[in-house]
């Protein structure tokens, strides 16, 4: 026979824990929520009482009391790309310093899925959202209506009506192309990922500008998705058309992995036959073979700036652009 609800044990309260531990309810809150330090003996008594009573804090009651859920959301195009996984991790670390936890979700590079994820986060009453959108200027009117602040993260273009944080893609592309040119390569092509909104990526613009400034003729362009498979297929097309340049700027480390695989299969040596510089500075670059020379994005700096924009004092709209830096591997010929 099942037990009736009237005979079920009642849920332990904060006052129950305080009574058993011999402290005030406020001290229980300090220990459970980590909001104030208490003596080690007192903390041990409280934690023992919590364990014995099976006490669990009521997040809804706490949110109502504070006027905050102390939760933030982040939507990235994918959670399988090491770049976005590391960026989300840095956001979690920066938010934790302020007492916030972060819910991570993925749009699978779909505008429709991105909207669904944003609506679900809004339904969970998060205090703010970081969006790594699949388009440069997403439609966020529903979040505005709900009064949920948002920061566009990994956004290099900047949107006048939004706080945004991104890396200087033009400068990063200049670093890559100029480094290859310094090696004496005058035939520099590009393997570039496509954007959902079909806007020209800043890396492609920077590649063109650098070649023009150096007086070099642009090499071939091969397009694909920002994935290893996208880089692989793009490189295979260059190989089949006998259009492989002496050097390649590849717009992401993930694509760089695919380029390397296609080159190895075709018997091309890196960097002896094709020199490569990629973009992002993720673990993909460090653990490829040969290691990829890459334009690294300062993810911790970007995350800190995004959290400050979301949780800091009121301010005018800000677009923060951070500079990338070159990390030397073996793929460029150094």
């Amino acid at each position: 026979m099942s037990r009736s609800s009237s005979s079920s044990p009642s849920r332990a309260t904060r006052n129950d824990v305080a009574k058993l531990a011999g402290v005030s309810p406020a001290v229980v809150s300090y220990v459970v929520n980590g909001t104030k330090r208490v003596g080690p003996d007192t903390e041990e008594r409280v934690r023992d009482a919590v364990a014995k009573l099976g006490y669990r804090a009521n997040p809804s009651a706490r949110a109502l009391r504070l006027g905050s859920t102390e939760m933030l959301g982040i939507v990235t195009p994918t959670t399988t790309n090491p770049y976005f996984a590391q960026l989300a991790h840095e956001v979690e670390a920066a938010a934790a310093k302020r007492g916030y936890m972060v819910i991570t979700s993925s749009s699978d590079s779909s505008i429709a899925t991105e909207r669904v994820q944003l609506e679900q986060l809004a339904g969970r009453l998060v205090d703010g959202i970081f969006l790594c959108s699949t388009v440069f200027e997403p439609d966020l009117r529903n979040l505005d209506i709900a009064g949920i602040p948002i920061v566009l993260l990994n956004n290099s273009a900047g949107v006048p009506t939004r706080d945004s944080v991104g890396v200087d893609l033009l400068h990063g592309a200049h670093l890559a192309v100029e480094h290859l040119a310094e090696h004496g390569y005058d035939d520099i092509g590009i393997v570039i990922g496509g954007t959902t909104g079909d806007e020209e990526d800043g890396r492609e613009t920077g590649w063109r500008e650098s070649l023009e400034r150096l007086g070099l003729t642009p090499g071939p362009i091969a397009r694909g998705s920002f994935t290893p498979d996208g880089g692989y297929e793009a490189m295979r097309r260059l190989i089949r058309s006998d259009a492989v340049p002496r050097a390649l700027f590849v717009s992401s480390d993930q694509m760089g992995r695919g380029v390397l695989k296609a080159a190895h299969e075709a018997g091309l040596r890196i960097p002896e036959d094709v020199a490569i510089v990629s973009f992002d500075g993720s673990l993909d670059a460090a653990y490829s073979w040969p290691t990829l020379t890459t334009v690294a994005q300062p993810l911790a700096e970007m995350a800190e700036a995004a959290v400050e924009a979301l949780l800091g004092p009121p301010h005018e709209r800000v677009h923060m652009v951070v500079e990338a830096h070159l990390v030397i591997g073996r793929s460029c010929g150094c």
Side-chain angles (χ1 to χ4, degrees), residues 56-202:
R56 288 185 301 163
N58 186 332
S60 298
R62 175 176 171 79
L64 189 62
R65 186 170 64 253
L66 296 177
S68 165
T69 60
E70 296 181 312
M71 289 193 301
L72 306 171
I74 180 171
V75 181
T76 66
T78 174
T79 54
T80 60
N81 184 329
Y83 167 78
F84 285 110
Q86 184 64 33
L87 180 57
H89 171 76
E90 295 294 351
V91 168
E92 290 174 0
K97 295 176 184 176
R98 297 172 179 256
Y100 286 77
M101 70 169 291
V102 178
I103 302 173
T104 303
S105 59
S106 166
S107 69
D108 199 26
S109 296
S110 161
I111 296 177
T113 304
E114 180 177 293
R115 291 196 186 108
V116 171
Q117 297 288 6
L118 291 172
E119 289 172 3
Q120 291 183 346
L121 287 171
R124 285 164 172 74
L125 303 179
V126 295
D127 294 327
I129 298 174
F130 305 99
L131 174 60
C132 302
S133 183
T134 56
V135 294
F136 291 145
E137 192 166 352
D139 182 356
L140 302 173
R141 285 172 292 182
N142 288 344
L143 289 179
D144 291 338
I145 293 172
I148 298 176
I150 190 161
V151 171
L152 300 179
L153 184 54
N154 195 54
N155 184 297
S156 61
V159 178
T161 59
R162 305 284 172 189
D163 286 329
S164 55
V165 178
V167 74
D168 188 337
L169 297 178
L170 293 176
H171 175 255
H174 296 164
L175 289 177
V177 173
E178 289 167 6
H179 184 73
L180 290 169
E182 287 170 1
H183 280 285
Y185 307 130
D186 56 8
D187 180 19
I188 303 173
I190 186 171
V191 173
I192 185 75
T195 62
T196 303
D198 291 328
E199 305 97 336
E200 179 166 288
D201 190 283

Side-chain angles (χ1 to χ4, degrees), residues 2 23 28 32 42-43 52 62-63 75 87 106 110 126 131 134 140 174 189 200 241 285 295 310 316 318-319:
S2 62
V23 298
V28 175
V32 171
T42 300
E43 180 176 355
K52 288 176 182 177
R62 175 176 171 79
V75 181
L87 180 57
S106 166
S110 161
V126 295
L131 174 60
T134 56
L140 302 173
H174 296 164
E200 179 166 288
S241 61
V295 179
L310 195 63
E316 295 183 358
V318 60
H319 174 51

Side-chain angles (χ1 to χ4, degrees), residues 173-175 177-178 206-216:
H174 296 164
L175 289 177
V177 173
E178 289 167 6
W207 167 75
R208 293 181 189 279
E209 289 180 352
S210 295
L211 293 174
E212 182 178 352
R213 187 172 60 255
L214 294 168
L216 300 177

Side-chain angles (χ1 to χ4, degrees), residues 278-296:
S278 61
F279 201 98
D280 280 342
S282 68
L283 288 176
D284 280 324
Y287 287 94
S288 296
W289 186 254
T291 52
L292 287 167
T293 293
T294 183
V295 179

Side-chain angles (χ1 to χ4, degrees), residues 252-253 276-282 285-286 292-296 325-329 331:
S252 78
D253 295 339
I276 296 172
V277 175
S278 61
F279 201 98
D280 280 342
S282 68
L292 287 167
T293 293
T294 183
V295 179
H325 60 278
L326 201 64
V327 175
I328 302 299
S331 65

